[in-house]
Amino acid sequence: DVKVTQSSRYLVKRTGEKVFLECVQDMDHENMFWYRQDPGLGLRLIYFSYDVKMKEKGDIPEGYSVSREKKERFSLILESASTNQTSMYLCASSFLGGRRKTQYFGPGTRLLVL
Amino acid sequence: TQLLEQSPQFLSIQEGENLTVYCNSSSVFSSLQWYRQEPGEGPVLLVTVVTGGEVKKLKRLTFQFGDARKDSSLHITAAQPGDTGLYLCAGAGSGGGADGLTFGKGTHLIIQP
């Protein structure tokens, strides 16, 4: 079974704090993704990575950065959290190449920024 | 920009009824995935369809990929309360690489006992 885990299910942070969200997958997938999910807006891609130390901006990268030091781990960093970053954050992984491009998701981290 | 339109947005029906959810686009996708998501959880993969015209069945759920690979449908027969959730479709572009899937905004399905 594919397993994608996220470091926290719920987080409460204050405005201006630095926030780290971690994601680990155990399927040796090359690709990893960070999304946020908001009511009425659906899932939006923040960043993705197709290899260690490689990263690409998604549709809404502003206010976020990422780190991928190991193949199995992909971290999302909020340098200075703001209230408009309150959201559900979802990590996903997939194999590189091929036609299916199926992504497997973690359980999500619900972040509240006060 | 590829877009996926899901319909209906909300659907509430009685247990035992049948329903169909649609996922439409003007773009061609190399594959299309369907996920179900429960409140506070991540999306769970139900199926991936790859070939135009493909039909896949998962117990009472039937998934179809359009012949032109631009649309898909999910049909549920004799819906059960356990089918309640947010159903998401997501399409993969035809290019290679690691770009993210294009997601529809989802169909909120409630099955009332």
Side-chain angles (χ1 to χ4, degrees):
Chain A
D1 266 0
V2 176
K3 189 85 171 175
V4 180
T5 57
Q6 293 183 229
S7 52
S8 304
R9 295 299 305 274
Y10 301 95
L11 270 181
V12 180
K13 296 292 181 180
R14 296 215 173 268
T15 302
E17 280 192 77
K18 192 168 186 175
V19 182
F20 293 87
L21 303 181
E22 292 209 315
C23 174
V24 177
Q25 51 95 4
D26 67 356
M27 283 302 293
D28 203 33
H29 286 166
E30 294 87 359
N31 302 331
M32 295 188 77
F33 307 85
W34 276 105
Y35 295 88
R36 62 178 284 178
Q37 185 177 29
D38 301 286
L41 297 177
L43 274 79
R44 292 180 291 167
L45 181 64
I46 304 171
Y47 268 97
F48 64 94
S49 168
Y50 54 88
D51 201 354
V52 174
K53 296 195 186 294
M54 305 303 290
K55 60 185 178 184
E56 296 284 345
K57 292 180 180 179
D59 300 317
I60 51 162
E62 296 80 18
Y64 303 95
S65 61
V66 290
S67 172
R68 190 154 181 212
E69 297 296 319
K70 293 185 177 182
K71 189 176 183 180
E72 67 271 18
R73 190 179 297 268
F74 193 33
S75 301
L76 179 70
I77 303 148
L78 286 65
E79 295 289 342
S80 177
S82 62
T83 54
N84 63 13
Q85 292 178 310
T86 291
S87 186
M88 173 72 140
Y89 288 89
L90 292 163
C91 175
S93 69
S94 71
F95 284 115
L96 180 66
R99 201 169 156 197
R100 292 184 164 266
K101 301 185 183 179
T102 300
Q103 293 184 19
Y104 298 89
F105 284 85
T109 296
R110 192 170 289 279
L111 173 66
L112 173 62
V113 183
L114 300 173
Chain B
T1 303
Q2 296 179 312
L3 290 173
L4 269 173
E5 300 285 340
Q6 275 190 252
S7 61
Q9 229 181 323
F10 298 94
L11 184 59
S12 178
I13 63 172
Q14 295 294 127
E15 181 177 359
E17 292 184 22
N18 302 333
L19 67 111
T20 302
V21 174
Y22 299 93
C23 181
N24 295 301
S25 177
S26 58
S27 303
V28 176
F29 293 102
S30 63
S31 70
L32 197 134
Q33 356 275 328
W34 283 93
Y35 296 86
R36 181 170 67 215
Q37 185 178 21
E38 299 190 13
E41 301 291 332
V44 174
L45 179 71
L46 296 174
V47 77
T48 299
V49 285
V50 179
T51 306
E54 183 177 1
V55 176
K56 279 194 173 177
K57 293 198 174 193
L58 189 67
K59 297 183 181 177
R60 294 176 293 98
L61 279 60
T62 302
F63 304 85
Q64 184 159 11
F65 202 13
D67 291 341
R69 290 188 282 126
K70 293 183 179 181
D71 54 80
S72 181
S73 64
L74 158 59
H75 182 79
I76 301 179
T77 304
Q80 304 292 312
D83 297 327
T84 293
L86 175 66
Y87 288 80
L88 296 164
C89 66
S94 301
D99 48 312
L101 298 172
T102 297
F103 281 86
K105 291 189 177 175
T107 293
H108 293 266
L109 176 63
I110 296 174
I111 309 300
Q112 300 183 31

